[in-house]
Amino acid sequence: MTAALPAPGTPLGVEVRDLTVRYGRKTALDAVSLSIPAGSITGLLGRNGSGKTTLASVVAAYRRSTSGSVLVGGQQPWENAELLSRVALVRESGDVVDTDTLRTNLRFTEQSRPQFSREVAERLMDVFDLDPSMKPPKLSRGQKSAFGIVLGLASRAELTILDEVHLGLDAPSRYAFYDALLEDYIAHPRTIVLSSHLIGEVERLLEHVVVLDRSRVLLAQDADALRTRGVAVTGPVREVDRFVVGRTVLGRQQLGGTAQATVLATLDDGEAAGARAAGLELGPVPLQDLFVHLTADGATEAAAEMGRVR
Amino acid sequence: MFDGRDPIYVQIADQIRQDVLRGDLQPEEQVMSTTQYATTFRINPATAAKAFAQLVDDGILYKRRGVGMFVAPGAPERLRAEGRESFFAESVDPVADQARALGIPVEDVVARLLARAAQAPGAAAGGAP
């Protein structure tokens, strides 16, 4: 029926097939299929209400699916205690015991997480300037997030899902988080799913990207490949208009005689040289902008061209 | 850094090629490890590894098992030969086009090139030793 779990410490991948989750009449996930490669840092991106948190909750067995299948390391997560000791979901809500100190909360996590590193926990408590004798209700929004990050990274779970853990963190703390994440991920490879609205900040950390939009998978692909899908073309209005004929235009701006169009296209060297010869400048489209264009209302056609997951 | 149109791994590889061309990295010199590169520039290690793999394939770097990556002997010469092929199309032609657009006589451009070349260290030898 299900495969045996790999050895402890082996990164766990995720396979989701035709997953549907309904809350009463509302469909949170609609026949979603995607893969999260084992050992990757995968970005889970989407607008509010796109289904990210629902997906994370089903994968980590906080919630049941309505139909379809989810496999983590080849096994179903629901009521699978052995598997779930290797799956950590850090949610915005924190999931900590409010009546106990941070120190005690850390000990609870240590007891349930076979790969837990006390050394990482202590170091990160210092980095984020958290006092172990405090209780969760006394923490600020940023401190709550920071403590979630401490639990999530120190657990070293073979599948670690960090859902919007940056909320309330100032920029230096967020960069301390990115540094700690990369460092510990390199030393102890695992699968990390990072859900964030700060795409510009996290995009270079990502190897793989899944974008959800309105309860469906908009795209799931290699982050580097995704970055080359868009191109910003700037130049004389006439030349820009000529260039975009037959291409999918995500956005267009005009200032006097100069226009800029954001186009869905991967140009080969010949096309790029031709465009430059026509007086056009070619620039990158940051992942953040591509995301905004693709998930904007009425962008469904462009999204269809990007191609749904395999 | 790393905000060009190319995938990040291509940009990383280009950066290292430039370092070798300029002599900032010498043949047989050890380059940063994938891990160091990833943490220094906050980049996914798989992305950094892809860049290094490309450079090994191109004969710019080579691996010493258990030690790390090193600049291949002959790498600067190889890069220079490749660079010469694309230099006129990629660098000179756009300058010529832009000069024409700005109404700068080509003689002025040539004079500037000659003056610049005369200033460069080791100008007559044609580059770093």
Side-chain angles (χ1 to χ4, degrees):
Chain A
M1 190 185 74
T2 46
L5 269 180
T10 310
L12 299 174
V14 179
E15 291 291 331
V16 173
R17 289 291 165 260
D18 294 320
L19 177 67
T20 296
V21 177
R22 290 197 192 93
Y23 306 133
R25 280 183 166 182
K26 190 184 175 324
T27 301
L29 289 174
D30 186 7
V32 161
S33 294
L34 59 91
S35 305
I36 294 170
S40 67
I41 302 180
T42 293
L44 180 58
L45 313 178
R47 296 174 69 179
N48 292 333
S50 58
K52 299 187 303 279
T53 298
T54 302
L55 177 64
S57 303
V58 173
V59 168
Y62 281 59
R63 191 176 280 290
R64 272 190 111 143
S65 62
T66 307
S67 63
S69 79
V70 172
L71 294 178
V72 176
Q75 295 202 354
Q76 297 221 37
W78 188 254
E79 292 186 341
N80 185 340
E82 194 199 350
L83 172 66
L84 292 176
S85 70
R86 305 185 190 185
V87 178
L89 167 59
V90 179
R91 301 191 285 186
E92 188 199 333
S93 50
D95 298 310
V96 289
V97 184
D98 279 348
T99 48
D100 284 308
T101 61
L102 300 189
R103 185 183 291 111
T104 308
N105 270 291
L106 278 171
R107 213 172 54 236
F108 290 153
T109 303
E110 182 170 13
Q111 283 159 3
S112 62
R113 297 291 176 193
Q115 306 289 326
F116 189 89
S117 162
R118 183 175 289 200
E119 187 261 321
V120 168
E122 283 170 2
R123 189 162 47 83
L124 290 178
M125 290 291 282
D126 274 354
V127 166
F128 292 119
D129 208 12
L130 292 169
D131 174 359
S133 65
M134 276 174 84
K135 289 183 179 175
K138 294 274 182 202
L139 301 179
S140 70
R141 174 69 261 175
Q143 287 174 318
K144 279 194 175 107
S145 294
F147 190 59
I149 289 167
V150 174
L151 292 175
L153 292 185
S155 292
R156 285 189 180 156
E158 288 87 333
L159 170 63
T160 301
I161 306 172
L162 305 169
D163 187 14
E164 299 286 343
V165 292
H166 61 271
L167 291 174
L169 288 183
D170 58 14
S173 301
R174 292 201 300 275
Y175 283 100
F177 159 50
Y178 304 144
D179 287 346
L181 170 72
L182 264 188
E183 242 169 69
D184 208 58
Y185 164 79
I186 288 168
H188 297 270
R190 63 197 104 154
T191 309
I192 291 180
V193 178
L194 195 59
S195 144
S196 174
H197 284 298
L198 302 174
I199 301 172
E201 278 186 16
V202 301
E203 67 164 290
R204 280 160 34 177
L205 305 179
L206 308 177
E207 181 182 353
H208 195 77
V209 174
V210 173
V211 181
L212 294 182
D213 189 42
R214 281 159 275 204
S215 312
R216 291 169 175 271
V217 177
L218 193 60
L219 50 96
Q221 56 179 253
D222 184 81
D224 243 346
L226 183 57
R227 245 182 305 270
T228 59
R229 296 295 298 270
V231 58
V233 191
T234 313
V237 173
R238 200 161 37 107
E239 291 302 333
V240 170
D241 288 345
R242 189 174 298 166
F243 179 86
V244 301
V245 170
R247 302 185 193 271
T248 303
V249 180
L250 297 176
R252 191 177 183 286
Q253 287 177 311
Q254 191 168 328
L255 188 67
T258 300
Q260 182 179 65
T262 304
V263 177
L264 211 54
T266 303
L267 304 184
D268 60 34
D269 290 347
E271 287 175 299
R276 287 199 188 93
L280 296 174
E281 266 179 53
L282 303 175
V285 180
L287 204 52
Q288 170 94 34
D289 291 4
L290 204 57
F291 170 80
V292 168
H293 286 305
L294 288 172
T295 58
D297 295 325
T300 326
E301 268 177 44
E305 190 189 319
M306 287 291 277
R308 293 190 178 281
V309 60
R310 290 175 287 284
Chain B
M1 207 175 186
F2 307 129
D3 53 0
R5 195 171 58 88
D6 291 325
I8 289 171
Y9 78 91
V10 174
Q11 297 181 53
I12 297 172
D14 284 347
Q15 177 85 37
I16 293 171
R17 284 194 188 92
Q18 283 302 323
D19 287 349
V20 172
L21 261 180
R22 291 206 192 94
D24 295 341
L25 277 171
Q26 295 284 328
E28 301 294 353
E29 192 176 334
Q30 185 163 11
V31 298
M32 244 193 233
S33 70
T34 310
T35 303
Q36 286 170 324
Y37 216 91
T39 48
T40 306
F41 296 108
R42 290 199 184 95
I43 284 171
N44 188 291
T47 307
K50 229 158 132 185
F52 285 85
Q54 190 191 61
L55 291 166
V56 169
D57 282 352
D58 293 351
I60 307 303
L61 301 182
Y62 72 98
K63 251 182 256 184
R64 273 189 222 158
R65 198 180 286 271
V67 187
M69 300 263 200
F70 294 81
V71 178
E77 291 75 17
R78 181 168 299 143
L79 286 171
R80 247 172 241 137
E82 287 168 12
R84 279 185 194 118
E85 284 175 26
S86 57
F87 173 70
F88 286 95
E90 283 182 12
S91 301
V92 177
D93 293 354
V95 168
D97 294 348
Q98 186 68 4
R100 191 171 51 233
L102 295 170
I104 298 172
V106 77
E107 294 74 31
D108 291 7
V109 177
V110 171
R112 174 68 166 227
L113 288 174
L114 290 170
R116 180 92 183 148
Q119 285 170 7

